[in-house]
Amino acid sequence: MLIGLSLLAALAPEASRSGESLSGRAVVIDGDTLNLRGKIIGLFGIAAPGPTQTCLDAGGRSYSCGTASARALAAHLGTAIIACETREPDRHGRILATCRKGEEDLGAWLTLHGHAAADRRVSAAYVPDETMAWAKRRGLWAGAFDDPTLRQRDPYAATNRYVAAQPDAPASDVSATASTKR
């Protein structure tokens, strides 16, 4: 039995352990999910709109806020090397992590600029950043949106498409209604 378990561990895809550090250039999958060295990383403590989610801007016009969030993160990262301190995996197949570009916490940057919401179910760390974005009506907070912490996610895989985050990709033409968050 021990040999079988050892063989299974050797054949299983490499999984990150909690506390492991990963660094490199990341590809943005969506506004709170990255592919870093072939591993799907979910930014711990925040939730961004899904790739097809639409929101209302300050003028009440619908826009693809999920695409906007992913593109903002991709533009902010550029070709920078990021470093992630991993935590536990989530139920969607992502390895949760706190990631930094230099000294800057990406979760804090996203919530401060209104591209994501603090996920109070797992951490209060980004609530002050979200409060500042709300006070200044930045990003999502300029209009109305569905709470991204409640969004349904499909399981992630390393082969996920990166369309929403690519700077040259056309914005999705998805029509949906948004409701005010909180």
Side-chain angles (χ1 to χ4, degrees):
M1 178 141 169
L2 184 58
I3 294 171
L5 290 174
S6 298
L7 182 59
L8 180 62
L11 295 175
E14 183 184 345
S16 291
R17 294 175 300 270
S18 184
E20 180 181 357
S21 294
L22 297 172
S23 64
R25 288 191 177 93
V27 174
V28 174
I29 294 174
D30 61 36
D32 60 9
T33 308
L34 308 169
N35 183 320
L36 180 61
R37 294 177 33 205
K39 296 180 190 238
I40 305 301
I41 305 293
L43 297 176
F44 177 78
I46 68 165
T52 61
Q53 185 173 335
T54 59
C55 301
L56 299 177
D57 66 14
R61 293 174 301 272
S62 180
Y63 75 102
S64 180
C65 54
T67 298
S69 177
R71 286 184 176 173
L73 178 57
H76 183 65
L77 291 180
T79 60
I81 301 295
I82 66 163
C84 297
E85 185 73 24
T86 65
R87 295 172 177 259
E88 69 282 349
D90 70 8
R91 61 190 164 114
H92 307 291
R94 305 180 310 163
I95 301 163
L96 296 178
T98 300
C99 298
R100 299 181 184 284
K101 175 184 170 185
E103 295 298 314
E104 178 182 65
D105 181 325
L106 295 178
W109 184 86
L110 284 160
T111 53
L112 184 63
H113 289 87
H115 300 301
D119 190 346
R120 291 165 172 79
R121 297 172 301 173
V122 296
S123 175
Y126 301 109
V127 172
D129 300 307
E130 179 185 274
T131 301
M132 182 68 71
W134 173 83
K136 294 187 177 203
R137 301 294 186 253
R138 290 181 176 159
L140 298 169
W141 300 102
F145 59 97
D146 290 326
D147 184 347
T149 65
L150 302 176
R151 91 179 219 217
Q152 296 296 315
R153 294 178 190 263
D154 291 325
Y156 286 88
T159 58
N160 271 3
R161 294 176 296 145
Y162 310 118
V163 176
Q166 299 309 315
D168 296 330
S172 298
D173 189 355
V174 178
S175 298
T177 58
S179 62
T180 305
K181 180 182 182 294
R182 292 182 214 170

